[in-house]
Amino acid sequence: MTNTFGKGHHLHLIDGSAFIFRAYHALPPLTRKSDGLPIGAVSGFCNMLHRYVEGNTGPDAPTHVAVIFDKGSHTFRNDMYDLYKANRDAMPEDLRPQIPLTRRATEAFNIACKEKEGYEADDIIATLAVQARAAGGRCTIISSDKDLMQLVGDGVEMLDAMKNKRIDRDGVFEKFGVYPERVVDVQALAGDSVDNVPGAPGIGIKTAALLINEFGDLDALLERAAEIKQPKRRQTLIDHADQIRLSRRLVLLDEATPLDFTLEDLEVRTPDPDQLMPFLAEMEFRTLTKRIADQLKVEMPEINDTPANAPAAPEIADVPFDKAGYSQVDSAEALQGWIDQIYERGYVAVDTETTGLNEMTAELVGISLCVEPGTACYIPLIHKAAGSDDLFGSDDLAEGQMPLETALEMLKPVLEDESILKIGQNMKYDAKVFAQVGITVAPIDDTMLMSYAMHGGLHGHGMDALSERYLGHTPLPIKPLLGSGKSAITFDKVPLSEAVPYAAEDADVTLRLWQQFKPALHRAQVTKVYETLERPMVAVLADMERAGIKVDRDTLSRMSNAFSQKMAALEDEVYTLVGRKFNVGSPKQLGEILFDEMGLQGGKKGKTGAYATGADVLEDLATEHELPRRILDWRQLSKLKSTYTDALQDHINPDTGRVHTSYSIAGASTGRLASTDPNLQNIPIRSEEGRRIREAFVAEEGKTLVALDYSQIELRILAHIADIPALKTAFDDGQDIHAMTASEMFDVPLDEMTPEIRRQAKAINFGVIYGISGFGLARNLRIPRSEAQGFIDRYFERFPGIRAYMDDTKAFAKEHGYVETLFGRRIHTPNIGAKGPQAGFAARAAINAPIQGTAADVIRRAMIRMPAAIAELPAKMLLQVHDELLFEVDQGAQDALIEAARSVMESAADPVVHLDVKLTVDAGQGPNWAVAH
DNA sequence: GACATCACG
DNA sequence: GACGTACGTGATGTCC
């Protein structure tokens, strides 16, 4: 029988989540030998538990112990403040399936394992610690989390297990400058960027402690804030009193969490070999199993991690590609066999076949699965029987297919199962296809994105290229199956005898790439980049693309007609000026007319022997003759009509009435997204005529478009990376950065600044980002090269950090073959050591990449956090344009959306990177994009 | 399919 | 001392 917990008893409370994360990050991504299941965190966790149990001897040993876990992501703190922990990076997806295993591990060690839905582990810990103290016993909290320090004192201590350091009241004072009972007051003022507790802006722990010690406690401080001597500090506290009180409620732990167990239930129990040994053997931890078996003096259990027991782990190179291993699934029984295999392994490579490349209109035709190299299947679902598509033929389905609904019903639980990792190549495509049939695929891994994280800048990341490069195998091409041109067919018309080997092979290739990339990711030190910047984008972008944006066909159509008329008029004028008709859209014909027939000067032929007739050339010629200006006007209209008013109409989805772009995550080498089909990242804005096209991008009835864009993000990042104090100060003071540069460069006081001088300085600022050269600047500003070089020299003189950054970056690229963003994204620069003009290109690209890439990383982080931050609002994120996010929101909720989204965007770098320069976000709203931007 | 041109950040 | 150059994208039309 157990005694009532009380004097003489000693309770240990282990912060389980802290153990897990420490284990996960301390170890390389180990996988279970028999089947590749990610198991690194479980391994580390077990070792830590074991070490903990071993260390519990002597008079100070605990009499009671429990490991406490978090449960659920939504807690009562989110109800108080929806941005609480909103800037947390999502849990790595290879960690998620390991969480339940750490619970099992705890139980296997015969240690109590507690959690409660809607509460953080910290609250349970607080409740138990207070109970133990009230009962007259002692309590040690095994954690280094500063949020728990408020509990210390009167029998409660903390123990940092890694440093083996005990923290008592004096230890807390050392950390916070106050004793435990005032810790929440200090935290409320200082805030916490990790948990996104706002606090008071500009006040850190030191200042907070100073204030609390002076006034006694937080309530007294807020009440008597007017007495604070420093004016700025005084105003901050007065302005943010509510926010500070909210922060205190967020950091204050709930010491009365309702629990369905008592302290007595936590009494220390000795390990039970019959529970522990089978678990360790199942995890295939050889060393640990042996050690514990010896200590418990029991027999070492057999561990079956050999290929005989483990069909999934043969060496990749050993298994040849052979279609004999590819089967067609034609029945529920056969599919169930595959599903059983998937559950045994915990992962599966998936690929979908559809009727087209556009996920919004394409129909699901079949699904392929692979759980082991060389063994894959294809589940055809709606392939048509041969000849069924004849003009008067039937629409019969081919033989040997199971019903679509049955297959989806069976696969849905697998594809949505938290503990089953779904592996794909370009998973955004497959995720969208599955979303169309009501299946939310998660968790996922994506071989295309793994390659992008490791090999960005080196080569493309399409499956065929990856397979050839990393598997030495050329996958079956799709062309012979579908044909080309007018006679091309869709995949549902492909005979099953050809479809099965093609589709199954794709899943096979994907799985093999994954087995190779998964450990390689860690070796290349880009696991973090992949986990935090690549993989989470898949779901975010899939949702945005599926949402689409409403485009008003009538507006476009009317504009198109107007453009046509203007173009026709311009054409007549052009023909009169030239004296005959010709194709105005042909640069070749135009060049010959301008320079050969009319004899205008300045004609330059490019490498193909044709005259250049670009806008810059025509702009120069416009002073000599009327024709170039007409051509320029015509070209502008032609561009707007063909690319925008006409093409955009063809992209309006008939079902949704909206335009759905597709973003490539792995397209641009710097980390930027690219938008295609249609490209919605280059909708006109710079010219007044073009800008009107944005009027056709409208909000749905009763809604409003909201646009938020980062102000000068690349220059701010440059100021941080190159460490330019003058730029930093200017940004922090909200100055006009180009005017400030001009003033500094040309010794003109700000109040005497002219637009012309400012324009030149602006060009220089941008030039710096692009890897400035005298030639390039001269051409851009249309000034002599020597003058441009003079500007650059002066710029370097005024901001010496810039030149150092450029030189350092080039040297780094030469030495390593890549450059890095602040978040660790690597952009390879294979041409950096080349001879000739190539080297110049590569050097400028290397200088630009960390700046452009860091900005891209920042907005990616904002986008990844955005869904959670706006979950409670009637709003959707629709588009990203490099430094801008566009939302659609119910009328009335605009201001709430702007507040939430701006907060996410402005703090997107936190807590991984602390920028010396603050990021600011401008917001606009309106019925259409022209107004909102 | 290459090239020139031009739309965006 | 000469070389040729601003960074990153995608779509369209011409021409071969």
Side-chain angles (χ1 to χ4, degrees), chain A residues 586 589 647 669 675 677 679 763 767 775 779 785 844-845 852:
Chain A
S586 165
Q589 292 178 34
S669 60
S675 161
D677 307 304
N679 181 355
F775 185 93
R779 204 178 64 167
R785 195 174 160 176
R844 288 191 298 274
Q852 187 182 116

Tab-separated table of all heavy atoms in Angstrom, chain A residues 586 589 647 669 675 677 679 763 767 775 779 785 844-845 852, chain C residues 2-16:
chain	number	residue	atom	x	y	z
A	586	SER	N	7.549	42.450	-85.128
A	586	SER	CA	8.784	41.754	-85.477
A	586	SER	C	9.996	42.650	-85.252
A	586	SER	O	10.225	43.602	-86.005
A	586	SER	CB	8.748	41.313	-86.946
A	586	SER	OG	10.042	40.953	-87.366
A	589	GLN	N	12.217	42.919	-88.468
A	589	GLN	CA	11.781	43.835	-89.513
A	589	GLN	C	11.942	45.281	-89.066
A	589	GLN	O	12.378	46.142	-89.837
A	589	GLN	CB	10.320	43.560	-89.875
A	589	GLN	CG	10.113	42.224	-90.565
A	589	GLN	CD	8.635	41.955	-90.871
A	589	GLN	OE1	7.862	42.870	-91.160
A	589	GLN	NE2	8.245	40.689	-90.790
A	647	ALA	N	-4.806	36.657	-72.082
A	647	ALA	CA	-4.397	35.357	-71.535
A	647	ALA	C	-5.041	35.094	-70.169
A	647	ALA	O	-5.414	33.963	-69.848
A	647	ALA	CB	-2.876	35.305	-71.422
A	669	SER	N	16.699	29.896	-57.706
A	669	SER	CA	17.828	29.402	-56.924
A	669	SER	C	17.950	30.092	-55.571
A	669	SER	O	18.496	29.540	-54.634
A	669	SER	CB	19.121	29.598	-57.710
A	669	SER	OG	19.302	30.972	-57.978
A	675	SER	N	5.843	32.075	-59.860
A	675	SER	CA	4.427	31.851	-60.117
A	675	SER	C	4.222	31.551	-61.601
A	675	SER	O	4.770	32.240	-62.448
A	675	SER	CB	3.650	33.105	-59.697
A	675	SER	OG	2.368	33.153	-60.288
A	677	ASP	N	1.389	29.820	-64.774
A	677	ASP	CA	0.072	29.328	-65.231
A	677	ASP	C	-1.112	29.867	-64.454
A	677	ASP	O	-1.846	29.070	-63.892
A	677	ASP	CB	0.041	27.797	-65.221
A	677	ASP	CG	1.193	27.198	-65.987
A	677	ASP	OD1	1.332	27.535	-67.160
A	677	ASP	OD2	1.946	26.415	-65.391
A	679	ASN	N	1.376	33.528	-64.423
A	679	ASN	CA	2.272	34.218	-63.500
A	679	ASN	C	1.520	35.409	-62.892
A	679	ASN	O	1.182	36.342	-63.598
A	679	ASN	CB	3.509	34.696	-64.258
A	679	ASN	CG	4.503	35.393	-63.358
A	679	ASN	OD1	4.230	35.597	-62.173
A	679	ASN	ND2	5.659	35.742	-63.883
A	763	ALA	N	19.027	54.427	-57.547
A	763	ALA	CA	19.624	53.497	-58.506
A	763	ALA	C	20.892	52.871	-57.924
A	763	ALA	O	21.173	51.690	-58.141
A	763	ALA	CB	19.946	54.216	-59.807
A	767	GLY	N	21.610	49.085	-57.191
A	767	GLY	CA	22.807	48.521	-57.822
A	767	GLY	C	23.636	47.730	-56.836
A	767	GLY	O	24.164	46.667	-57.168
A	775	PHE	N	29.757	49.925	-65.205
A	775	PHE	CA	29.075	49.817	-66.489
A	775	PHE	C	27.559	49.755	-66.307
A	775	PHE	O	26.808	50.487	-66.960
A	775	PHE	CB	29.568	48.571	-67.222
A	775	PHE	CG	29.017	48.430	-68.604
A	775	PHE	CD1	29.713	48.923	-69.694
A	775	PHE	CD2	27.794	47.817	-68.815
A	775	PHE	CE1	29.198	48.810	-70.975
A	775	PHE	CE2	27.266	47.702	-70.088
A	775	PHE	CZ	27.968	48.200	-71.168
A	779	ARG	N	24.772	52.553	-67.441
A	779	ARG	CA	23.720	52.287	-68.400
A	779	ARG	C	22.353	52.604	-67.810
A	779	ARG	O	21.497	53.173	-68.460
A	779	ARG	CB	23.784	50.822	-68.846
A	779	ARG	CG	23.145	50.643	-70.194
A	779	ARG	CD	23.251	49.237	-70.670
A	779	ARG	NE	22.521	48.341	-69.790
A	779	ARG	CZ	22.249	47.087	-70.118
A	779	ARG	NH1	22.685	46.592	-71.244
A	779	ARG	NH2	21.576	46.331	-69.300
A	785	ARG	N	30.396	56.338	-67.989
A	785	ARG	CA	30.853	55.265	-67.121
A	785	ARG	C	31.776	55.781	-66.011
A	785	ARG	O	31.737	55.319	-64.876
A	785	ARG	CB	31.580	54.221	-67.965
A	785	ARG	CG	31.759	52.936	-67.213
A	785	ARG	CD	32.352	51.889	-68.116
A	785	ARG	NE	32.948	50.861	-67.290
A	785	ARG	CZ	33.488	49.773	-67.778
A	785	ARG	NH1	33.514	49.571	-69.078
A	785	ARG	NH2	34.017	48.877	-66.973
A	844	ARG	N	28.379	38.464	-59.126
A	844	ARG	CA	27.251	39.339	-58.793
A	844	ARG	C	26.080	38.534	-58.247
A	844	ARG	O	25.405	38.949	-57.307
A	844	ARG	CB	26.847	40.141	-60.029
A	844	ARG	CG	27.856	41.219	-60.395
A	844	ARG	CD	27.288	42.160	-61.441
A	844	ARG	NE	26.968	41.475	-62.681
A	844	ARG	CZ	27.832	41.257	-63.670
A	844	ARG	NH1	29.086	41.673	-63.547
A	844	ARG	NH2	27.457	40.640	-64.766
A	845	ALA	N	25.869	37.352	-58.838
A	845	ALA	CA	24.791	36.500	-58.338
A	845	ALA	C	25.082	36.090	-56.892
A	845	ALA	O	24.177	36.023	-56.059
A	845	ALA	CB	24.620	35.281	-59.231
A	852	GLN	N	18.716	38.616	-51.434
A	852	GLN	CA	17.432	38.223	-51.984
A	852	GLN	C	16.912	36.961	-51.277
A	852	GLN	O	15.718	36.839	-50.990
A	852	GLN	CB	17.565	37.958	-53.497
A	852	GLN	CG	16.250	37.718	-54.169
A	852	GLN	CD	16.374	37.410	-55.662
A	852	GLN	OE1	16.044	36.339	-56.112
A	852	GLN	NE2	16.861	38.386	-56.416
C	2	DA	P	43.008	47.920	-72.840
C	2	DA	OP1	43.300	48.637	-74.090
C	2	DA	OP2	42.341	48.604	-71.730
C	2	DA	O5'	42.168	46.609	-73.206
C	2	DA	C5'	42.781	45.550	-73.932
C	2	DA	C4'	41.860	44.354	-73.931
C	2	DA	O4'	41.959	43.676	-72.647
C	2	DA	C3'	40.383	44.716	-74.108
C	2	DA	O3'	39.784	43.779	-74.988
C	2	DA	C2'	39.808	44.626	-72.708
C	2	DA	C1'	40.677	43.561	-72.059
C	2	DA	N9	40.852	43.739	-70.621
C	2	DA	C8	41.096	44.900	-69.943
C	2	DA	N7	41.217	44.747	-68.649
C	2	DA	C5	41.036	43.377	-68.464
C	2	DA	C6	41.041	42.560	-67.321
C	2	DA	N6	41.248	43.025	-66.092
C	2	DA	N1	40.828	41.244	-67.494
C	2	DA	C2	40.626	40.772	-68.723
C	2	DA	N3	40.605	41.424	-69.876
C	2	DA	C4	40.813	42.745	-69.665
C	3	DC	P	38.357	44.109	-75.563
C	3	DC	OP1	38.403	43.745	-76.997
C	3	DC	OP2	37.937	45.449	-75.136
C	3	DC	O5'	37.431	43.036	-74.810
C	3	DC	C5'	37.813	41.652	-74.820
C	3	DC	C4'	37.164	40.953	-73.666
C	3	DC	O4'	37.682	41.458	-72.418
C	3	DC	C3'	35.631	41.148	-73.585
C	3	DC	O3'	35.006	39.889	-73.692
C	3	DC	C2'	35.391	41.772	-72.214
C	3	DC	C1'	36.656	41.371	-71.455
C	3	DC	N1	37.012	42.274	-70.321
C	3	DC	C2	37.261	41.708	-69.062
C	3	DC	O2	37.167	40.481	-68.921
C	3	DC	N3	37.590	42.534	-68.034
C	3	DC	C4	37.682	43.857	-68.233
C	3	DC	N4	38.013	44.609	-67.186
C	3	DC	C5	37.442	44.442	-69.505
C	3	DC	C6	37.103	43.622	-70.507
C	4	DG	P	33.747	39.727	-74.600
C	4	DG	OP1	32.994	38.580	-74.101
C	4	DG	OP2	34.223	39.775	-76.002
C	4	DG	O5'	32.933	41.077	-74.380
C	4	DG	C5'	31.548	40.996	-74.463
C	4	DG	C4'	30.937	41.066	-73.084
C	4	DG	O4'	31.872	41.527	-72.075
C	4	DG	C3'	29.780	42.075	-73.057
C	4	DG	O3'	28.747	41.479	-72.373
C	4	DG	C2'	30.343	43.250	-72.262
C	4	DG	C1'	31.268	42.526	-71.311
C	4	DG	N9	32.322	43.429	-70.806
C	4	DG	C8	33.031	44.397	-71.469
C	4	DG	N7	33.895	45.013	-70.707
C	4	DG	C5	33.745	44.421	-69.470
C	4	DG	C6	34.391	44.682	-68.245
C	4	DG	O6	35.267	45.516	-68.018
C	4	DG	N1	33.927	43.867	-67.234
C	4	DG	C2	32.959	42.899	-67.379
C	4	DG	N2	32.621	42.199	-66.311
C	4	DG	N3	32.340	42.638	-68.514
C	4	DG	C4	32.783	43.442	-69.517
C	5	DT	P	27.373	41.620	-72.340
C	5	DT	OP1	26.740	40.331	-72.645
C	5	DT	OP2	26.995	42.824	-73.080
C	5	DT	O5'	27.275	41.982	-70.807
C	5	DT	C5'	26.577	41.191	-69.913
C	5	DT	C4'	26.710	41.795	-68.533
C	5	DT	O4'	28.038	42.217	-68.244
C	5	DT	C3'	25.900	43.069	-68.353
C	5	DT	O3'	24.574	42.698	-68.073
C	5	DT	C2'	26.578	43.692	-67.145
C	5	DT	C1'	28.009	43.163	-67.209
C	5	DT	N1	29.035	44.213	-67.474
C	5	DT	C2	29.797	44.663	-66.435
C	5	DT	O2	29.691	44.254	-65.299
C	5	DT	N3	30.717	45.635	-66.773
C	5	DT	C4	30.925	46.154	-68.032
C	5	DT	O4	31.776	47.018	-68.206
C	5	DT	C5	30.091	45.632	-69.071
C	5	DT	C7	30.245	46.151	-70.460
C	5	DT	C6	29.193	44.688	-68.743
C	6	DA	P	23.419	43.571	-68.536
C	6	DA	OP1	22.363	42.641	-68.953
C	6	DA	OP2	23.887	44.615	-69.434
C	6	DA	O5'	23.048	44.233	-67.159
C	6	DA	C5'	22.634	43.418	-66.080
C	6	DA	C4'	23.470	43.753	-64.843
C	6	DA	O4'	23.321	45.141	-64.534
C	6	DA	C3'	22.995	42.989	-63.616
C	6	DA	O3'	23.963	41.979	-63.317
C	6	DA	C2'	22.975	44.009	-62.486
C	6	DA	C1'	23.458	45.304	-63.157
C	6	DA	N9	22.610	46.436	-62.758
C	6	DA	C8	21.303	46.655	-63.065
C	6	DA	N7	20.826	47.747	-62.573
C	6	DA	C5	21.874	48.283	-61.872
C	6	DA	C6	22.024	49.438	-61.109
C	6	DA	N6	21.046	50.326	-60.934
C	6	DA	N1	23.226	49.666	-60.530
C	6	DA	C2	24.207	48.765	-60.700
C	6	DA	N3	24.198	47.656	-61.407
C	6	DA	C4	22.994	47.470	-61.976
C	7	DC	P	23.484	40.482	-63.466
C	7	DC	OP1	24.697	39.659	-63.375
C	7	DC	OP2	22.570	40.356	-64.605
C	7	DC	O5'	22.613	40.271	-62.132
C	7	DC	C5'	23.244	39.949	-60.914
C	7	DC	C4'	22.191	39.561	-59.905
C	7	DC	O4'	21.378	40.730	-59.621
C	7	DC	C3'	21.202	38.520	-60.413
C	7	DC	O3'	21.691	37.218	-60.178
C	7	DC	C2'	19.985	38.814	-59.552
C	7	DC	C1'	20.047	40.319	-59.376
C	7	DC	N1	19.141	41.077	-60.293
C	7	DC	C2	17.785	41.156	-59.972
C	7	DC	O2	17.398	40.591	-58.928
C	7	DC	N3	16.953	41.832	-60.784
C	7	DC	C4	17.413	42.418	-61.883
C	7	DC	N4	16.544	43.087	-62.642
C	7	DC	C5	18.795	42.352	-62.246
C	7	DC	C6	19.611	41.674	-61.438
C	8	DG	P	21.089	35.991	-61.010
C	8	DG	OP1	21.771	34.793	-60.501
C	8	DG	OP2	21.118	36.323	-62.447
C	8	DG	O5'	19.545	35.955	-60.581
C	8	DG	C5'	19.212	35.563	-59.257
C	8	DG	C4'	17.712	35.617	-59.087
C	8	DG	O4'	17.252	36.976	-59.218
C	8	DG	C3'	16.929	34.878	-60.156
C	8	DG	O3'	16.922	33.487	-59.874
C	8	DG	C2'	15.544	35.501	-59.964
C	8	DG	C1'	15.895	36.950	-59.651
C	8	DG	N9	15.772	37.850	-60.803
C	8	DG	C8	16.729	38.214	-61.720
C	8	DG	N7	16.291	39.045	-62.627
C	8	DG	C5	14.965	39.227	-62.289
C	8	DG	C6	13.953	40.031	-62.900
C	8	DG	O6	14.052	40.766	-63.896
C	8	DG	N1	12.737	39.924	-62.238
C	8	DG	C2	12.511	39.144	-61.128
C	8	DG	N2	11.282	39.160	-60.623
C	8	DG	N3	13.441	38.403	-60.542
C	8	DG	C4	14.630	38.487	-61.166
C	9	DT	P	16.416	32.502	-60.993
C	9	DT	OP1	16.744	31.159	-60.514
C	9	DT	OP2	16.877	32.980	-62.311
C	9	DT	O5'	14.846	32.704	-60.910
C	9	DT	C5'	14.038	32.511	-62.056
C	9	DT	C4'	12.733	33.217	-61.819
C	9	DT	O4'	12.947	34.631	-61.837
C	9	DT	C3'	11.705	32.968	-62.900
C	9	DT	O3'	10.962	31.824	-62.542
C	9	DT	C2'	10.836	34.211	-62.842
C	9	DT	C1'	11.817	35.296	-62.406
C	9	DT	N1	12.271	36.183	-63.505
C	9	DT	C2	11.376	37.097	-64.019
C	9	DT	O2	10.229	37.192	-63.618
C	9	DT	N3	11.873	37.901	-65.014
C	9	DT	C4	13.144	37.878	-65.542
C	9	DT	O4	13.469	38.647	-66.423
C	9	DT	C5	14.032	36.890	-64.974
C	9	DT	C7	15.419	36.780	-65.472
C	9	DT	C6	13.564	36.096	-63.997
C	10	DG	P	10.385	30.902	-63.687
C	10	DG	OP1	9.700	29.792	-63.005
C	10	DG	OP2	11.424	30.641	-64.696
C	10	DG	O5'	9.292	31.848	-64.359
C	10	DG	C5'	8.112	32.184	-63.631
C	10	DG	C4'	7.077	32.735	-64.592
C	10	DG	O4'	7.580	33.954	-65.194
C	10	DG	C3'	6.729	31.809	-65.741
C	10	DG	O3'	5.338	31.958	-65.992
C	10	DG	C2'	7.580	32.314	-66.895
C	10	DG	C1'	7.682	33.809	-66.603
C	10	DG	N9	8.956	34.408	-67.000
C	10	DG	C8	10.215	33.908	-66.773
C	10	DG	N7	11.160	34.684	-67.234
C	10	DG	C5	10.486	35.757	-67.790
C	10	DG	C6	10.981	36.922	-68.452
C	10	DG	O6	12.156	37.232	-68.669
C	10	DG	N1	9.951	37.758	-68.875
C	10	DG	C2	8.611	37.508	-68.674
C	10	DG	N2	7.766	38.427	-69.147
C	10	DG	N3	8.136	36.434	-68.061
C	10	DG	C4	9.123	35.613	-67.658
C	11	DA	P	4.599	31.189	-67.126
C	11	DA	OP1	3.264	30.847	-66.618
C	11	DA	OP2	5.478	30.136	-67.679
C	11	DA	O5'	4.436	32.324	-68.217
C	11	DA	C5'	3.641	33.454	-67.897
C	11	DA	C4'	3.362	34.239	-69.141
C	11	DA	O4'	4.554	34.952	-69.546
C	11	DA	C3'	2.929	33.425	-70.345
C	11	DA	O3'	1.867	34.115	-70.985
C	11	DA	C2'	4.182	33.334	-71.219
C	11	DA	C1'	4.907	34.638	-70.885
C	11	DA	N9	6.365	34.546	-70.913
C	11	DA	C8	7.151	33.549	-70.399
C	11	DA	N7	8.442	33.755	-70.559
C	11	DA	C5	8.503	34.979	-71.213
C	11	DA	C6	9.583	35.756	-71.667
C	11	DA	N6	10.860	35.408	-71.505
C	11	DA	N1	9.291	36.932	-72.284
C	11	DA	C2	8.007	37.289	-72.434
C	11	DA	N3	6.906	36.635	-72.048
C	11	DA	C4	7.227	35.476	-71.434
C	12	DT	P	1.130	33.493	-72.220
C	12	DT	OP1	-0.293	33.841	-72.059
C	12	DT	OP2	1.548	32.093	-72.425
C	12	DT	O5'	1.715	34.340	-73.417
C	12	DT	C5'	1.527	35.754	-73.420
C	12	DT	C4'	2.348	36.333	-74.547
C	12	DT	O4'	3.740	36.150	-74.243
C	12	DT	C3'	2.104	35.656	-75.889
C	12	DT	O3'	1.455	36.571	-76.738
C	12	DT	C2'	3.496	35.287	-76.401
C	12	DT	C1'	4.431	36.013	-75.463
C	12	DT	N1	5.699	35.297	-75.150
C	12	DT	C2	6.887	35.917	-75.432
C	12	DT	O2	6.957	37.023	-75.946
C	12	DT	N3	8.002	35.205	-75.105
C	12	DT	C4	8.048	33.938	-74.531
C	12	DT	O4	9.104	33.404	-74.277
C	12	DT	C5	6.765	33.346	-74.266
C	12	DT	C7	6.693	31.979	-73.649
C	12	DT	C6	5.662	34.041	-74.582
C	13	DG	P	0.853	36.055	-78.116
C	13	DG	OP1	-0.355	36.857	-78.358
C	13	DG	OP2	0.798	34.579	-78.128
C	13	DG	O5'	1.986	36.493	-79.142
C	13	DG	C5'	2.360	37.872	-79.221
C	13	DG	C4'	3.529	37.995	-80.158
C	13	DG	O4'	4.697	37.402	-79.507
C	13	DG	C3'	3.348	37.256	-81.482
C	13	DG	O3'	3.693	38.121	-82.556
C	13	DG	C2'	4.281	36.049	-81.381
C	13	DG	C1'	5.351	36.525	-80.402
C	13	DG	N9	5.939	35.459	-79.611
C	13	DG	C8	5.279	34.458	-78.935
C	13	DG	N7	6.078	33.644	-78.308
C	13	DG	C5	7.350	34.136	-78.583
C	13	DG	C6	8.613	33.659	-78.170
C	13	DG	O6	8.884	32.687	-77.459
C	13	DG	N1	9.651	34.455	-78.678
C	13	DG	C2	9.475	35.556	-79.468
C	13	DG	N2	10.584	36.189	-79.850
C	13	DG	N3	8.299	36.011	-79.863
C	13	DG	C4	7.278	35.258	-79.380
C	14	DT	P	3.641	37.609	-84.060
C	14	DT	OP1	3.175	38.739	-84.875
C	14	DT	OP2	2.960	36.303	-84.142
C	14	DT	O5'	5.191	37.368	-84.343
C	14	DT	C5'	6.097	38.435	-84.102
C	14	DT	C4'	7.493	38.022	-84.506
C	14	DT	O4'	7.989	37.032	-83.571
C	14	DT	C3'	7.621	37.407	-85.893
C	14	DT	O3'	8.742	37.975	-86.535
C	14	DT	C2'	7.793	35.910	-85.620
C	14	DT	C1'	8.526	35.930	-84.282
C	14	DT	N1	8.338	34.751	-83.394
C	14	DT	C2	9.448	34.173	-82.812
C	14	DT	O2	10.583	34.568	-83.000
C	14	DT	N3	9.173	33.114	-81.981
C	14	DT	C4	7.935	32.587	-81.690
C	14	DT	O4	7.821	31.631	-80.935
C	14	DT	C5	6.819	33.235	-82.326
C	14	DT	C7	5.428	32.724	-82.076
C	14	DT	C6	7.070	34.274	-83.145
C	15	DC	P	8.994	37.762	-88.073
C	15	DC	OP1	9.693	38.961	-88.549
C	15	DC	OP2	7.757	37.298	-88.719
C	15	DC	O5'	10.034	36.541	-88.054
C	15	DC	C5'	11.256	36.700	-87.329
C	15	DC	C4'	12.000	35.383	-87.350
C	15	DC	O4'	11.414	34.473	-86.393
C	15	DC	C3'	11.981	34.654	-88.701
C	15	DC	O3'	13.283	34.200	-88.982
C	15	DC	C2'	11.010	33.503	-88.463
C	15	DC	C1'	11.287	33.208	-86.991
C	15	DC	N1	10.200	32.484	-86.271
C	15	DC	C2	10.542	31.624	-85.214
C	15	DC	O2	11.720	31.489	-84.911
C	15	DC	N3	9.549	30.973	-84.560
C	15	DC	C4	8.279	31.155	-84.915
C	15	DC	N4	7.352	30.495	-84.239
C	15	DC	C5	7.913	32.021	-85.991
C	15	DC	C6	8.894	32.661	-86.625
C	16	DC	P	13.712	33.726	-90.434
C	16	DC	OP1	14.782	34.635	-90.869
C	16	DC	OP2	12.498	33.552	-91.254
C	16	DC	O5'	14.342	32.298	-90.162
C	16	DC	C5'	15.312	32.132	-89.116
C	16	DC	C4'	15.354	30.687	-88.706
C	16	DC	O4'	14.163	30.368	-87.958
C	16	DC	C3'	15.404	29.697	-89.876
C	16	DC	O3'	16.461	28.786	-89.682
C	16	DC	C2'	14.055	28.990	-89.825
C	16	DC	C1'	13.698	29.094	-88.354
C	16	DC	N1	12.232	29.022	-88.070
C	16	DC	C2	11.803	28.263	-86.979
C	16	DC	O2	12.629	27.668	-86.293
C	16	DC	N3	10.479	28.194	-86.717
C	16	DC	C4	9.602	28.855	-87.488
C	16	DC	N4	8.312	28.766	-87.193
C	16	DC	C5	10.025	29.633	-88.595
C	16	DC	C6	11.335	29.693	-88.842
